[in-house]
Amino acid sequence: MREPIPADLKDIRFPVPIRYLDLASAEVDTGSSALSEGLVIFLSDGLPVGQAYVDKPENTAALALRVVQPETVEHAHQVAQIPLKNHDVSILICTKDRPDELARCLASIPRQSLPPVEIVVVDNASAGDGTRRVAEAAGATYVREDRIGLDYARNAAVRAATTEFVAFTDDDVVLHERWLENLMKGFDQPEIGCVTGLVLPGELSTPAQLIFERHWGFGRGYRRRDFDRHFYRSHKRHKNPMSMVGAGASQAFRRKVFDECGLFDVRLGAGAAGCSDDSEFWDRLLHHGHTCRYEPTAVSWHFHRKDMEGLAKQIHQYMKGHVAALLIQYQNTGKLGNLRRMLMSLPWYHLKRFAKRLERGATSDNFFLKEEVLGSLQGAFYLLGRWKMQPW
C-alpha cells in the first residue's frame, strides 16, 4: 500500500538526485550544461560551499554564481591553511540495535585527516551482540549502558573518554575526511566550548526524507557563526533560538565544560523526552559564559528515516523534547522567555499553521501538525512529572 504524501510532493520523482559539482570543473566554469532537477551542491577544494534545489532547467554557471558566496569559498581556503593545534580528541558514538548503520559510520573514520586518539562506542542496551562485534572489529572501545536513554549513553561516553576534546556523531552519519580536523580547528579561542558542523542529507530517496530535509533538517548553511554572551543576552525576553547552533549529529566539546556545566540531561533525548538534549546543553554553555561555534567546513552526511510512519513518530518526539527542554531551560536559568515560547509563541504558531491547512490543505510543512501539537502537550506533562529528577 502506497503511503500518503503531501499534495506539494505528488509531482516530484523519487529518488531526488543529489549532485556534487566542483567549482573548478569545466562544466561549472563554462556553464555548458543545464541542471534540470534535484539538490545541487557545489564544492571547492573538496568541501561543500553552497547548494540549491533545482526544479526546472537552470544554467550551471548561473546557478553557481547565485548560490555560492565568495566569502564562503574564501573561508574554506582559510581553514585549510590554519595549522592544527588540537590533536587530543576522541570520537564518541552512541547506538542501539543498528549494527549495519554503525558499521557504515565507523568505516568513514579511518579516512579522517586527523586520526582520533580513541573511538568510544556506547551500546545503549542493544538486544543482541551485533553492536559489540561491529565496534570491536573497528578497533573501538566498547561500553555497555543498560539504562535506556540517549543521554545515559552520551554521559557514559564522556566518562569513558580520556582526551581533552570529545567529538560526537551518530550511527546514521558518514563523515567527510576532514570532519574531525575542521571541528578541532574551530577551537581557536579558549572561550569556545563547543563546535558544530554542517550536516548534509546522505540521500533523498523517499518523500519522508525530503520532508525532513526541507523542514526539519540539520543543515545550518555555509557561513561560520559564533553564539556567545551577546547572542544569549540579546534574547533576554525570548527563548534563545538554539537550533541555529547546529546538530547533535556533529558536535565537539572541550572535555572540561562537562566538569563546569554538568553532563547531558537524561530527561531529554531519544528514549526519554525524545529530543533537544543538544540544544539544552548548548543553552547551558552560553548561560555559563562559553561560546558555541558553527563551523561549516566540518562536513558530514545524515541518512534520514525513509518511511512516513517513522517520520511521524520522530516529529512527535522532536516536539515532545522541545517543550520538555523549554521547561528544563527555565528550571536552570529562570529565563521567562522559555515559558513565553511554550505558553504563547508555540500555540500561536500551531494555530496559524492549522488555519493555513484548513484553507489550502495538507502540504509538506504542515503534514505532521497533529504530531507536533500532541508532542508539545506530552512534553509539558512529561517534564512536569520529572521536575525533581536528577538530571545526570
Side-chain angles (χ1 to χ4, degrees):
M1 182 176 176
R2 186 176 181 182
E3 293 182 316
I5 63 173
D8 57 324
L9 300 188
K10 290 187 182 297
D11 294 330
I12 294 178
R13 292 183 296 175
F14 291 93
V16 174
I18 303 177
R19 189 173 184 185
Y20 290 84
L21 293 176
D22 195 304
L23 290 174
S25 68
E27 186 176 7
V28 176
D29 185 48
T30 63
S32 57
S33 64
L35 301 166
S36 58
E37 61 179 351
L39 174 60
V40 180
I41 298 175
F42 292 100
L43 303 173
S44 178
D45 190 28
L47 288 171
V49 290
Q51 69 180 63
Y53 284 94
V54 178
D55 56 12
K56 58 183 178 180
E58 186 163 359
N59 178 273
T60 306
L63 180 65
L65 188 63
R66 177 166 63 85
V67 304
V68 178
Q69 302 300 315
E71 56 267 29
T72 301
V73 177
E74 179 60 26
H75 174 70
H77 291 331
Q78 289 176 351
V79 171
Q81 302 303 315
I82 296 173
L84 181 61
K85 298 180 180 179
N86 303 312
H87 296 78
D88 191 28
V89 58
S90 304
I91 293 180
L92 312 182
I93 306 171
C94 301
T95 186
K96 176 179 171 62
D97 289 319
R98 298 205 290 190
D100 293 339
E101 289 87 345
L102 176 64
R104 181 181 60 193
C105 177
L106 289 169
S108 66
I109 295 179
R111 297 192 291 269
Q112 291 296 296
S113 56
L114 170 62
V117 172
E118 61 187 354
I119 306 166
V120 178
V121 172
V122 178
D123 183 351
N124 195 201
S126 292
D129 67 346
T131 298
R132 177 186 58 78
R133 287 188 282 106
V134 167
E136 292 177 351
T141 299
Y142 175 81
V143 176
R144 175 86 178 187
E145 173 54 74
D146 286 322
R147 291 172 293 180
I148 301 296
L150 174 59
D151 290 306
Y152 282 117
R154 281 182 167 172
N155 293 341
V158 171
R159 293 184 179 108
T162 62
T163 51
E164 181 184 358
F165 296 87
V166 294
F168 281 94
T169 190
D170 291 346
D171 57 11
D172 52 3
V173 167
V174 170
L175 307 172
H176 186 282
E177 62 185 16
R178 280 177 269 171
W179 173 76
L180 189 59
E181 175 186 344
N182 288 350
L183 278 180
M184 290 302 97
K185 286 182 176 180
F187 290 99
D188 59 3
Q189 300 295 330
E191 66 270 16
I192 297 175
C194 171
V195 178
T196 68
L198 170 65
V199 183
L200 296 171
E203 62 182 4
L204 296 172
S205 62
T206 68
Q209 289 183 323
L210 183 61
I211 291 171
F212 183 88
E213 180 61 25
R214 282 185 172 180
H215 304 292
W216 302 85
F218 300 137
R220 299 296 179 263
Y222 292 88
R223 182 169 65 91
R224 174 190 274 187
R225 287 199 62 181
D226 285 350
F227 302 88
D228 52 16
R229 295 183 182 185
H230 174 73
F231 170 82
Y232 187 74
R233 292 169 181 166
S234 67
H235 295 87
K236 185 176 181 179
R237 284 182 47 81
H238 303 280
K239 171 204 173 279
N240 293 306
M242 298 309 300
S243 62
M244 296 169 60
V245 173
S250 176
Q251 57 180 337
F253 300 92
R254 294 185 189 272
R255 176 62 181 76
K256 67 179 183 180
V257 301
F258 296 102
D259 298 325
E260 179 182 341
C261 304
L263 295 167
F264 290 98
D265 197 310
V266 299
R267 296 171 290 181
L268 298 172
C275 189
S276 295
D277 46 337
D278 309 296
S279 59
E280 184 280 319
F281 191 75
W282 301 331
D283 186 84
R284 216 183 320 154
L285 290 182
L286 267 60
H287 183 70
H288 282 80
H290 297 282
T291 295
C292 296
R293 168 170 286 174
Y294 171 67
E295 176 48 66
T297 64
V299 180
S300 59
W301 291 268
H302 181 265
F303 289 79
H304 310 328
R305 300 185 189 212
K306 290 186 175 182
D307 62 288
M308 297 292 277
E309 181 180 357
L311 179 57
K313 293 177 180 178
Q314 183 178 13
I315 290 175
H316 181 278
Q317 292 295 99
Y318 271 23
M319 294 309 301
K320 178 182 174 184
H322 175 62
V323 170
L326 292 174
L327 287 170
I328 288 175
Q329 288 163 196
Y330 171 71
Q331 185 182 46
N332 290 339
T333 68
K335 193 171 181 181
L336 291 174
N338 294 294
L339 296 184
R340 188 176 290 111
R341 164 74 173 172
M342 184 183 75
L343 298 173
M344 298 173 62
S345 302
L346 199 57
W348 180 242
Y349 171 70
H350 286 148
L351 185 62
K352 288 192 296 183
R353 291 170 65 227
F354 178 70
K356 181 179 177 181
R357 177 164 175 162
L358 287 177
E359 178 184 355
R360 303 180 184 179
T363 55
S364 58
D365 67 328
N366 60 35
F367 197 71
F368 298 104
L369 186 57
K370 180 182 73 173
E371 286 78 11
E372 292 182 49
V373 173
L374 293 178
S376 299
L377 293 172
Q378 190 175 352
F381 287 110
Y382 173 89
L383 198 282
L384 290 172
R386 292 161 177 78
W387 190 258
K388 296 183 179 180
M389 178 179 170
Q390 287 296 317
W392 52 82

